[in-house]
Every structure is written in structure tokens, then in C-alpha cells.
Amino acid sequence: MSWSEFPSMSKSELRGLRKSIDQGFREFAAEYGESLEKFFDPLLSFLIFSERLLLSTPWPLMIAICASIAFVGSRSWKIVIGVVVAFLVIGYLGMWADTMRTLSIITVCTAVAVAIGIPIGILMAKSDRTQTVVSPVLDVMQTMPSFVYLIPVVMLLGIGKVAGMLAVIVYALPPIVRLTNLGIREVDSDVIEAADAYGTNSWQKLTKVQLPLALPAIFAGVNQTIMLSLSMVVIASMIGVKGLGQPVLKAIQNQYFAIGLLNGFAIVALAIIFDRVSQRYGMRIQRHRQGKSDV
Amino acid sequence: MSESNVKIHINNLTKIFGASPSSMLPLVEQGIGKGKLLEEHDHVLALDRVNMQLNAHSIEVIMGLSGSGKSTLVRHINRLIAPTSGSVLVDGEDVCAMSDKTLRDFRQRKTAMVFQNFALLPHRTVIDNIAFGLEVRGVGRTQLNEKSYFWLDKVGLAGLDRHYPAQLSGGMQQRVGLARALACDADILMMDEAFSALDPLIRSDMQDILLELQKDLRKTIVFITHDLDEALKIGDRIAILNQGRLVQQGSTEDILLRPADGYVRRFVADVNRTGVLRARSIMALKWQQEKAQNNAVVVQEDDTLRKVLHMMLKADSFNAVVTDEAGKAVGHIDADMVAQAVNY
């Protein structure tokens, strides 16, 4: 035996190990796959509903809605004009429907990630033990190559929207959890002491002091979650999620440079819109910290 | 001082910070002292068997240098810090024995606190900061508004209700902190170095505001400071802590004229006494006719030495007759006595 060769399991043993894991999971999938699918049925119908809603809304109305959301969020005409121009160009280049599909799944994914992530973040901030347990899980979620967990997800739920959405959420959830936790933990201890001195219970302390003061951090988390979901659309398209990702995937397989480029730019445009609007909004809600007089 | 006038009893209070505080208690009982406990056992003795009574309706100053344990002591009154041993009784009720719910109730109703770094809520406007204590207690909207605006006016911030703390100067922020505390209508007001972060002129203003308000409020104010001049100006009584031990508690005159030990003596050595000591506390009780004839000026019992000196110099006299409120002569002061009191 030489030192250059690692003493590994024998080939047959290794094959046996892999076989038994695969076998076990296949049995699990056969047993529970259907009930899991049932469990996610409401989510699926919600996904379909939101996609149909966006697709059936007349495009001028859709642009007007997006523009007004951008205005309410950012209070900046520059950003509003940017939004309108971006959507007009996307539509003119024939990517309207795909953009709406992507917009729909991103919105739902972000909403679900926020709804799950913020409570987990709060629990983490409240207890060090929860933090030690959850942190490594978040590390795995962020660094595990998404193809790895796509396999079991597809085995359990089949190809489609729900599987794609789960893949996106697994990848996009960690920042909102981490930043909620961090935001709450970094609230000034003097202020927490004052809240205690005035006799707040833990719910009052959370809602009146900790969450409002953690809001800028939480908002940065939401922003990151949106960005990460967008970056997952191409991978999600591999398991049947329609939208801007599919043409990109097709372009990779067939070397259609122009299609890839155009759809890629549409994704970038969406990302920039989301980012600028949410960042401006985040800056506006922490205006009070800078002592500006025009409130 | 009658027993019924005592608002807060602090009994044999010891606080040790470190890995195993209770195991250090026997050593503390033997009087090991702060320095040795830290050096040999790696525990910090913040409070060393402190016994103290704080009277209702008066300003009780707790003074000491940093590390003397004064801020730790005040936090025991509303149990922001729990003692290692000993007890704190407020109106006869043991604060350390309270359940969480009772303690929250106690903090909402009985005590209010003003902090050195203001500790305002930066995301709330001035008026919402003032209302915070009332809101936590669940006071209704109309009463809450009425009270908050009343105190906003009282501390001289009328018109700034919609501003955020970051838009105000330090002095103004602390007025908000004071209004927040007073709005709670609690018997006990705890002020932890409340004015120490302010510059001298603003600090003096805030002291005047507090004294003015206290004339009507007559609350039990526990005032923490490291500044002797501040202590002498506003305190009815002063307690001096050193290394976690209570060194002396008494009136301002007790502290200045009868310091308990060398530490207090050094502490008060540099203070300007003429503005603090009053004619009453240094006069000779015996009424000496022959001195009075010698071109004496007439002063009141309550006049400060500064005023007595000023009058003596103006009249080119070395003697003063001290009278009570009715104008009856009760004692006399001569120049030697003033000189002795000033250069203690």
C-alpha cells in the first residue's frame, strides 16, 4: 500500500451504501410523495393564480401599477421613468409574458421567504441555543450546490412550479433570517434597558422597540432575498418553472447567443428595479436617524 | 427622621459579578474588599454590604467615582440588576421577591428612570417617546395625549412634538428623557448620571429645571452623579460610595463639615464651600453683645457664606449677627469662623 493512495472503501461496499440510500429515499418518495404533493396543493394553486393574474392584466395597467409601486417606494421620478422604459423595451422585444411569469414567481417566493424567515430570525435573536442550531442549517442552505437538493425535491414533488419554488426559497431564505437576527441583536443595549425599566413585556419590547429598530437590517435582508431569487430563475427553469429562465436555458443548449443575451438583460433589468426601489425605501424608513428636518 | 418617611430600604446589599458569585459571599462577609477579590478570585465586587435608607419626597444623591458601584446600586431599586445577597424594600415591599408580572407592574407604576445616554427611541417622535411609559402601561389615547403634551410643555419643548430625537441637541434630548419619566407619574424617579453627558451650562439649566419641578412634585428622586458640585447643588442628602462600600450618608453640611473619613475629606477638599454652606451651620450659638456692637452686619440663617462674606466686606466689618425668619438674633459669625469653614 502506498501513501499516495487513500485507503477507501471497496468499490462494492461503496456501491452498496449508495444503493441503500437511494433505495431508502425512493421508498420514502413512493410512500409520502403523494401526500406531500397534496400538502403543497394550496401553494400550487396560489402560484397559478398569481401567474394568471399578472398575465391577464392589460399591459398598460401593469406598467402603471409597477410605476406607482416604484414611486411609493422610492419617491424618485428617475426610478419611475426607468421602470416604465424597462418594461416598454422588454415588451417590445417580445419578452412580456415570460417577464410576468418570472415577476409572479419572484413575488410569491419573496413573500413566503419573508413570512418564514422573519419569525425564524426573531426566534434566533431571542435564544442563543436556537442560533447555534439554525446557523449551520443556513450555511448548508446557502452553500450546498442547488443541483444537489433539486434531485430529492424533484423525486418527491415531480417537475413543476412547486419544486422550483422550493429550490428558490431554500436558496433565498438565509439572508432574511440572518439579517433579522442580526438587526434585533444589534439594537442598542441602552434602549433595551430603558424598555425594561419602563416595564415592557417581551411582546411590547419586540414590537415597539426591537423590530422597528431592526427594520433597516430586515429590509436589507428582503432586498438580498429578492436578488437571490432572481439569480435562481435559470436553475429553477431546469425543473419546469416557466419564465425568463427557460429561454436562457434553451439558449445555452442550442448556442442562441442573442436570445440568451436579451433574456439575461431582462432578468438584470428586473433585479435593478427591485434593488433600487427597495433600497430607496429602506433609506427612507431610517431617515429619522440622520436628524434631517424634512420629515 | 421618622421611620415612616423612609421610601426605600436597602439592606445589606451585595452584588458580585463573575463566574460564581455566591461562592464568593463568605469572603465578602469576612471583608475581603474589592481589590483583593478581583486580584485573587477574579470576581468583581460591585456592592459590598450596602445599608442605606432613602427618604420620600426628597432628592437623595448617590455619589462616587466610576467603579464605585453607584449605577449598579440604583439598578437594584427596580431590579434591572438582581442582588447576590441582601434586599431592597420599596414601601415595605421586597423588590427581589416579586414575580415577573408584579415586577413589570412595579416598574410601570412605581419607578421611572432617566439615563446618562438618554436612551430615547430613535424611531419615535418626541411626543411618542414621552408617551412610551404610559403606552406600555396601557393608558387610553386621550389621557395619554393629554399627559404627554402637558409634560412636553413643562420641560420647555412645546412645538417640537413631531421632531425625532436625532434632530435635537443633547440638552433637549435629555428634556425628552425627563418628560418621559415624569409622565409616568411614578413615586420614584431614578436619574443615572442624567446630566453628566451635557455641557456645563446646559447641565446647570437642567439642574434648575429639576429643582423647580421638584418643588411641586415632591417625588423621591434618587440621583446618581460623580460630580460633587452637582450633588451639593441639588441633593437634600448625599451618600458617598467608594469601592462598593457606603462611606457616608448625610446632609450636604454633614459631608462638608464632618467628613466620615479621609476619603470623603479628600473628595470634598476642592469644592467651593461658600456657595453651599449656610450661616446657620457655622454660626456660634452664643450671642455676644460686645461683638455685635462692633459694627456688625445682619444676615439670615439661610444665607450662604458667599452672601455673608459679601455683606461683611461691603460694610468693612468682621462680624455678623445671624437672625431667624422672625428677625430674632440667634447667633453670630466672625471672620475667623468663615475662614475656618472655608479652609477646612
Side-chain angles (χ1 to χ4, degrees):
Chain A
M1 203 176 75
S2 79
W3 286 109
S4 62
E5 206 172 306
F6 201 94
S8 61
M9 286 168 88
S10 75
K11 284 232 167 95
S12 61
E13 275 173 326
L14 211 53
R15 200 180 306 122
L17 178 70
R18 286 197 305 246
K19 249 190 185 161
S20 58
I21 291 175
D22 284 348
Q23 187 66 31
F25 190 76
R26 222 167 271 143
E27 273 162 23
F28 175 81
E31 186 87 13
Y32 297 102
E34 211 162 321
S35 42
L36 265 175
E37 250 177 276
K38 279 239 167 62
F39 175 78
F40 284 114
D41 260 357
L43 201 59
L44 180 62
S45 34
F46 183 64
L47 277 168
I48 294 172
F49 165 78
S50 105
E51 192 178 297
R52 281 204 189 130
L53 183 72
L54 288 194
L55 280 173
S56 60
T57 308
W59 65 265
L61 182 62
M62 198 59 219
I63 292 181
I65 291 171
C66 290
S68 29
I69 291 174
F71 181 74
V72 171
S74 69
R75 296 281 158 82
S76 148
W77 286 110
K78 248 203 271 182
I79 289 176
V80 172
I81 291 167
V83 169
V84 173
V85 170
F87 274 113
L88 288 176
V89 172
I90 283 171
Y92 190 66
L93 292 175
M95 298 182 289
W96 182 262
D98 280 341
T99 303
M100 287 303 111
R101 288 191 186 102
T102 296
L103 202 56
S104 155
I105 193 154
I106 295 303
T107 311
V108 175
C109 285
T110 305
V112 173
V114 167
I116 302 171
I118 290 181
I120 296 178
I122 291 170
L123 291 178
M124 265 175 97
K126 293 253 155 184
S127 127
D128 285 339
R129 194 176 299 168
T130 315
Q131 181 174 250
T132 20
V133 174
V134 175
S135 274
V137 177
L138 295 179
D139 292 336
V140 171
M141 286 164 76
Q142 268 185 313
T143 49
M144 179 75 81
S146 33
F147 296 106
V148 176
Y149 54 79
L150 280 181
I151 304 162
V153 167
V154 170
M155 280 170 76
L156 279 173
L157 297 169
I159 277 179
K161 284 192 171 61
V162 173
M165 199 190 93
L166 283 183
V168 172
I169 287 175
V170 166
Y171 189 62
L173 188 65
I176 179 83
V177 177
R178 276 191 217 280
L179 283 159
T180 303
N181 175 34
L182 189 73
I184 291 176
R185 280 175 185 268
E186 290 204 330
V187 171
D188 196 349
S189 61
D190 288 351
V191 177
I192 297 296
E193 187 181 45
D196 284 333
Y198 283 94
T200 52
N201 59 33
S202 53
W203 177 250
Q204 286 171 323
K205 195 156 64 181
L206 181 69
T207 55
K208 290 180 196 292
V209 181
Q210 290 171 314
L211 280 183
L213 288 177
L215 213 53
I218 294 175
F219 226 82
V222 174
N223 183 334
Q224 285 306 299
T225 293
I226 296 172
M227 294 300 116
L228 291 185
S229 343
L230 266 172
S231 69
M232 274 293 280
V233 292
V234 176
I235 290 172
S237 72
M238 298 174 89
I239 50 172
V241 176
K242 287 185 183 163
L244 290 169
Q246 277 197 331
V248 175
L249 193 64
K250 216 184 290 167
I252 297 168
Q253 284 155 354
N254 303 311
Q255 294 169 4
Y256 295 149
F257 175 62
I259 290 183
L261 198 66
L262 288 180
N263 285 279
F265 270 121
I267 293 173
V268 171
L270 279 185
I272 291 177
I273 290 169
F274 272 122
D275 182 64
R276 294 300 181 275
V277 173
S278 63
Q279 262 189 12
R280 278 299 187 98
Y281 183 72
M283 264 155 66
R284 257 179 349 104
I285 56 174
Q286 50 180 322
R287 182 76 90 58
H288 57 80
R289 298 186 166 203
Q290 292 142 21
K292 282 192 188 142
S293 52
D294 55 321
V295 188
Chain B
M1 203 61 69
S2 70
E3 184 67 10
S4 62
N5 200 24
V6 176
K7 183 82 177 172
I8 304 167
H9 283 270
I10 293 168
N11 300 322
N12 216 15
L13 196 70
T14 297
K15 179 66 188 178
I16 305 165
F17 291 105
S20 172
S22 49
S23 69
M24 295 294 137
L25 265 178
L27 292 171
V28 172
E29 298 292 341
Q30 288 160 29
I32 184 170
K34 184 171 179 146
K36 224 173 158 201
L37 192 73
L38 180 65
E39 209 169 285
E40 291 174 11
H41 302 277
D42 206 21
H43 280 63
V44 176
L45 180 55
L47 293 172
D48 188 358
R49 295 164 293 164
V50 172
N51 284 291
M52 201 186 277
Q53 266 127 49
L54 303 174
N55 294 330
H57 314 301
S58 61
I59 303 184
E60 297 273 12
V61 173
I62 298 174
M63 198 177 67
L65 301 177
S66 58
S68 63
K70 55 193 190 304
S71 290
T72 310
L73 179 61
V74 77
R75 278 167 175 71
H76 280 82
I77 295 173
N78 60 356
R79 216 175 92 192
L80 283 175
I81 298 178
T84 308
S85 80
S87 65
V88 176
L89 305 182
V90 175
D91 289 332
E93 208 180 341
D94 187 352
V95 178
C96 309
M98 289 176 178
S99 69
D100 285 357
K101 169 89 184 63
T102 320
L103 179 65
R104 279 202 299 273
D105 215 54
F106 169 82
R107 285 172 176 172
Q108 285 171 14
R109 285 159 208 282
K110 272 263 168 87
T111 64
M113 201 161 174
V114 184
F115 299 87
Q116 179 173 12
N117 300 318
F118 322 138
L120 300 175
L121 303 173
H123 61 291
R124 288 178 157 227
T125 57
V126 165
I127 199 70
D128 289 342
N129 262 291
I130 296 176
F132 183 70
L134 298 167
E135 194 184 309
V136 167
R137 199 195 291 171
V139 172
R141 199 75 236 171
T142 39
Q143 206 195 346
L144 182 133
N145 268 329
E146 191 186 312
K147 280 198 173 178
S148 321
Y149 275 97
F150 173 80
W151 286 109
L152 179 81
D153 261 14
K154 270 276 192 194
V155 298
L157 291 179
L160 295 176
D161 50 341
R162 292 280 137 219
H163 283 61
Y164 284 95
Q167 296 170 290
L168 305 181
S169 68
M172 283 165 141
Q173 289 190 37
Q174 195 56 302
R175 284 172 195 234
V176 178
L178 188 59
R180 172 174 69 176
L182 292 172
C184 292
D185 219 4
D187 294 349
I188 301 171
L189 181 62
M190 296 185 289
M191 307 189 68
D192 180 24
E193 301 246 20
F195 304 149
S196 302
L198 307 175
D199 58 52
L201 282 178
I202 312 270
R203 191 187 310 166
S204 176
D205 279 351
M206 293 296 290
Q207 290 161 354
D208 294 338
I209 291 174
L210 183 69
L211 287 172
E212 196 55 43
L213 289 169
Q214 172 68 352
K215 279 185 192 160
D216 300 329
L217 294 173
R218 299 189 20 84
K219 285 183 188 302
T220 306
I221 300 181
V222 185
F223 194 101
I224 308 293
T225 182
H226 63 262
D227 177 357
L228 185 61
D229 288 313
E230 183 170 64
L232 293 169
K233 177 174 175 183
I234 69 164
D236 291 318
R237 290 200 307 165
I238 298 174
I240 297 183
L241 290 181
N242 180 29
Q243 306 269 314
R245 286 191 184 142
L246 176 63
V247 186
Q248 184 174 12
Q249 186 183 24
S251 68
T252 51
E253 279 149 13
D254 283 340
I255 301 283
L256 285 183
L257 296 174
R258 290 173 287 280
D261 66 3
Y263 180 75
V264 179
R265 189 166 302 143
R266 281 201 304 282
F267 212 97
V268 300
D270 294 329
V271 78
N272 178 3
R273 291 145 187 271
T274 57
V276 181
L277 292 176
R278 295 177 190 280
R280 186 198 304 115
S281 52
I282 70 154
M283 67 188 182
L285 285 178
K286 233 174 100 192
W287 167 239
Q288 290 172 300
Q289 190 66 30
E290 67 277 16
K291 289 209 171 174
Q293 282 165 347
N294 191 4
N295 170 30
V297 294
V298 178
V299 299
Q300 294 264 316
E301 281 188 297
D302 272 346
D303 287 343
T304 59
L305 282 196
R306 183 184 295 152
K307 190 167 173 198
V308 173
L309 263 178
H310 183 72
M311 289 173 75
M312 285 165 112
L313 287 172
K314 222 166 87 181
D316 203 13
S317 160
F318 292 104
N319 284 291
V321 177
V322 183
T323 60
D324 63 11
E325 274 170 43
K328 192 169 151 272
V330 290
H332 92 277
I333 295 173
D334 64 27
D336 282 348
M337 292 156 76
V338 176
Q340 205 185 3
V342 173
N343 300 314
Y344 187 82

